[in-house]
Amino acid sequence: MSLLPILSTEFHLTQTRKGQEIFHSFSRGLCPVCRELVDGARIIRDGKVYLRRQCPKHGMQESLISGDVEWFLKSLSFARPGIQPKEYSTNVEKGCPHDCGLCPDHEQHSCLPIIEITNHCDLECPICIVQNRHNYHMTRTEFVSILDGLVRKEELIDTVNLSGGEPMLHPEILQFIDTARQYRQFTRLSISTNGLRIASDWEFCQQLAERGVYINLQLDSLSNQSLRTLRGTGRHDTVKQKALENLERAGVRTTIVATIARGVNDHEIGDCVRLVMEKDFILSLMFQPAAYTGTGGSQFGPHDPLDIITIPDIVRCMEEQTGGDLKRSDFLPLPCSHPGCFALTYLLKTEDGCIPFPRFIELENYIAAITNRGTIRPDDRFDEMLRNTIDQLWSAAGQIPDSPRILRTLKRALRLMFPDDRRIELEERLRLGEGLVKTIFIHAFMDEHTFEVDRIRKCCTHYALPDGRLMPGCAYNMMYRHRDSRFTGPIGTAQLRIPGQ
Ligand code: SF4
Ligand code: SF4
């Protein structure tokens, strides 16, 4: 097999003979055996992109990093300069990714800080990417110190996420929520959960609703067969169904988070989309291509690094499994992170179904609304985008399918969210906007096989640590988590539950 030198045009990069290889660019990745940083190259072959690394001790390794070379090439054009945080916590000393963080070399501020408030969990998911040791609950002092640190580093944060482990097992979860809600700099507080407590404790679910939190419910499939493969033994389907019922009844704003593993549940992507479209209380859907790292994920099999599911594969499955209701052209990489990390689309909820934003908004307007932030914020910039789009739809009437319906919805949105006769608080505007828009994200966490330093340097999803550091998500998972002093020490006794029993 010959390795051709880099060619300059996209056409040449996408039009190769079967088996022919083209060098695209240099990279820096990890050896999955010793986890040392090693030099590598991105290689195009048979319409896909591979990361090839050479470890001095363990030889050459190769892994798939994009299942579609056209998507990969296009996504690179979405890179935009990031925003610096107001304060750094470390210096540049050893070089990326050994100085996290954030160090002054980091290229993006924190759009989504994640606070892991516990490492206890009542499930032992075969696909789990963290390392639950059942020996740590965050103290109130640590929690407040993290929140104060975030305020020092960021002006405004759209979403602060509480995670774990299973955060609902923290004995002070409701007090933590109350504490976080006192910070006016945080627009939303979300909690990632397996849903077991929500399904079994209606009163608790009501208390979450009263506090206005957003729930990220882990729900990879509607079938118990797939759920058992990904989440372990038990009747997960009945528990997830009960959790959905309770969340809907209590009116909790919910995101469905679906980990997708090749050959396990990639045929159920369309079902997840339909669920989100049908239910008003579900605001968004997050697909996460499986990352084969952590206690569970690193053992999850069968796993072939050359045949994983990547962002463009999930987009293709959505198009196929929704009969074209969603199309590849509806999705764009998120310019906030590295474009290899996220893709998304916003959907406008009209009186007769959802219409993806890219079908009626000019690309540059759209990108401006999502650059340097993970979610649309209903601020002056959004107001301007709505008005511009309405003007453009007027002038292009007839050229855009469904334009009367889109116009009606946008004008209603403008009237509700930005009325001329009174000022509306951001929180209320946010709620109004949430009734009009749904979001589908794809977030591709890296593992030891797909890790690239370029991506980590632009990371906008950061674990917030009690010592003040913000750790880019995949750097922490790969290089720091196992050394985190909070999580070392003897492994505690797991209080596991079998869902449905
Ligand atoms: S990932 Fe960011 S914070 Fe960490 S060492 Fe690299 S540049 Fe610095
Ligand atoms: S957590 Fe990983 S996949 Fe997500 S933005 Fe950061 S580097 Fe990219």
Side-chain angles (χ1 to χ4, degrees), residues 337 341-342 443-446 455-456 459-461 473-474:
S337 61
C341 292
F342 269 101
H443 185 185
F445 280 96
M446 296 186 279
R455 278 178 63 184
I456 207 72
C459 177
C460 61
T461 304
C474 296

Side-chain angles (χ1 to χ4, degrees), residues 47 61 71 102 106 118 123 135 179 196 218-219 266 270 345 462 489:
Q61 299 114 10
W71 175 280
L102 301 179
H106 200 75
T118 181
L123 287 183
N135 62 1
T179 303
L196 288 186
Q218 170 202 97
L219 200 164
D266 46 351
T345 190
H462 303 149

